[in-house]
Amino acid sequence: MELSPVLYHKLIRPKWSTHKHIHQNVKEHFDLENKKILDFGAGTGANCALCSPSNYYGIDPDMKRISYAQRVYPEYTFNVFKDDKIQLEDSSIDIILIVAVLHHIPPVKIGLYIKEFQRILNPIEGKVIIIEPCFTNEKSISNWFMKNNDNGNHIQDEQGYLDYFERHGFMSKVLKKYRKHFFYNELFFCAY
């Protein structure tokens, strides 16, 4: 079932959960000060608080969620992502943030997006920060729960996510694996 942007923002991305499971982890490993950030799959905009409005650009294919984000965070820039092209100049972004997005994208399309990431990333210091639900060998109940309750049809195991980037010449580093809300196994990694 697809939630309205208001319900999604309040139930799936409440401030306390977003802060605990996303923002604290990102801030622990990365300095975002004065970095140009693309929030790929920005949804309702919950992650824009990680940086200043002048350094943030959020995109999402869902026009309703983008409209909601624009109303709730009017000082930040949000746009609808369409035609598989990111409307940013080459080498213009320092960090691409991807939170709970890849598992919604068919694997055959992810290569197209990674090529776009390579185009827009700063070639010297650019990084992609990724947090995704992840299947593990040790947590069969969590795997079952995620498979049957998450509306993303492409949840991967750790190596599956890393392979997306490594096949395109990125190096990957797993930063943390953790449990979120009892049944979700999360993988936090970066590609550079």
Side-chain angles (χ1 to χ4, degrees), residues 6 12 43 49 51-52 92 100 103 107 117 131 133 140 144 167 178 183:
V6 173
I12 307 299
C51 63
S52 68
S92 63
H103 73 287
F117 300 160
I131 301 175
S140 59
W144 175 87
R167 277 193 292 257
Y178 60 96
F183 291 113

Side-chain angles (χ1 to χ4, degrees), residues 14-123:
K15 284 185 182 181
W16 70 268
S17 179
T18 299
H19 179 74
K20 178 180 179 180
H21 297 292
I22 300 168
H23 296 180
Q24 280 183 347
N25 285 319
V26 171
K27 288 179 179 180
E28 181 180 323
H29 293 277
F30 299 96
D31 177 12
L32 304 181
E33 187 79 24
N34 298 316
K35 303 282 192 224
K36 295 288 186 187
I37 296 176
L38 167 67
D39 189 354
F40 183 78
T44 57
N47 293 318
C48 69
L50 282 166
C51 63
S52 68
S54 62
N55 288 334
Y56 177 90
Y57 184 71
I59 59 174
D60 196 280
D62 187 327
M63 182 175 281
K64 290 179 184 175
R65 289 186 183 189
I66 288 296
S67 294
Y68 180 83
Q70 290 169 332
R71 283 193 313 276
V72 175
Y73 306 104
E75 64 277 15
Y76 289 86
T77 302
F78 297 94
N79 282 304
V80 176
F81 176 57
K82 53 187 175 185
D83 302 327
D84 296 333
K85 289 285 184 192
I86 300 172
Q87 301 302 311
L88 291 170
E89 293 181 23
D90 295 0
S91 306
S92 63
I93 294 294
D94 299 306
I95 294 176
I96 298 171
L97 181 63
I98 304 172
V99 177
V101 174
L102 296 179
H103 73 287
H104 293 281
I105 301 170
V108 296
K109 287 201 90 166
I110 289 180
L112 296 171
Y113 300 144
I114 291 177
K115 288 178 184 175
E116 277 292 279
F117 300 160
Q118 290 172 314
R119 180 184 66 78
I120 65 170
L121 268 177
N122 172 331

